[in-house]
């Protein structure tokens, strides 16, 4: 009788563990697929190292473990002409870079 009870407990725990494993795998894929990641890079006339900040944001996106939309948003707070050229060149090289002004940021979803 005790052996039968032990087998029942073991069978229950195995079934419960299997169900938890399947739910964990499903939840892992659903959460990773549904997320979006936006990295905001502010830039104004006092930002001398915008290229370095964009490259760091690109590296962070590569390390991000999501499969959803991943973008870099460069916030234009009065960039200099040199900064605009650098950002435009980076945006041409990579399709995931957006250049927005502060009033356009609230439309981003």
């Amino acid at each position: 009788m005790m052996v039968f009870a032990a087998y029942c407990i073991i069978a229950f725990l195995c079934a419960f563990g299997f169900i938890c494993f399947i739910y964990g795998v499903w939840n892992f894929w659903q959460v990773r697929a549904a997320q979006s990641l936006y990295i905001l890079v502010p830039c104004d006339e006092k930002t001398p190292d915008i290229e370095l900040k964009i490259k760091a944001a690109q590296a962070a996106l590569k390390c991000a473990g999501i499969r959803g939309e991943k973008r870099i948003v460069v916030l234009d707070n009065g960039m200099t002409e040199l900064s605009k050229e650098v950002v435009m060149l980076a945006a041409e090289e990579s399709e995931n870079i957006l250049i927005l002004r502060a009033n356009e940021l609230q439309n981003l979803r």
Side-chain angles (χ1 to χ4, degrees):
M1 184 67 176
M2 293 297 283
V3 173
F4 178 72
Y7 284 145
C8 287
I9 291 172
I10 290 172
F12 173 76
L13 292 176
C14 287
F16 184 74
F18 181 73
I19 290 170
C20 288
F21 174 75
I22 296 299
Y23 176 74
V25 169
W26 177 79
N27 193 24
F28 175 77
W29 285 108
Q30 289 298 320
V31 168
R32 288 174 58 121
Q35 290 180 343
S36 296
L37 177 64
Y38 293 96
I39 296 179
L40 183 65
V41 180
C43 183
D44 58 5
E45 67 272 355
K46 297 178 183 176
T47 309
D49 54 350
I50 189 64
E51 184 177 10
L52 181 63
K53 289 183 179 183
I54 290 174
K55 289 191 185 287
Q58 287 174 335
L61 285 181
K62 286 181 183 178
C63 294
I66 66 169
R67 296 183 306 162
E69 184 180 20
K70 298 186 279 188
R71 291 191 173 264
I72 299 170
V73 178
V74 179
L75 185 61
D76 183 1
N77 289 330
M79 289 191 280
T80 62
E81 291 300 320
L82 180 62
S83 295
K84 283 183 185 178
E85 289 178 15
V86 169
V87 171
M88 293 300 282
L89 182 62
E92 289 174 3
E93 292 175 358
S94 178
E95 69 276 354
N96 65 345
I97 297 177
L98 294 173
I99 305 166
L100 298 176
R101 294 190 149 292
N103 58 354
E104 299 170 337
L105 190 60
Q106 54 188 285
N107 298 334
L108 183 65
R109 298 210 184 228

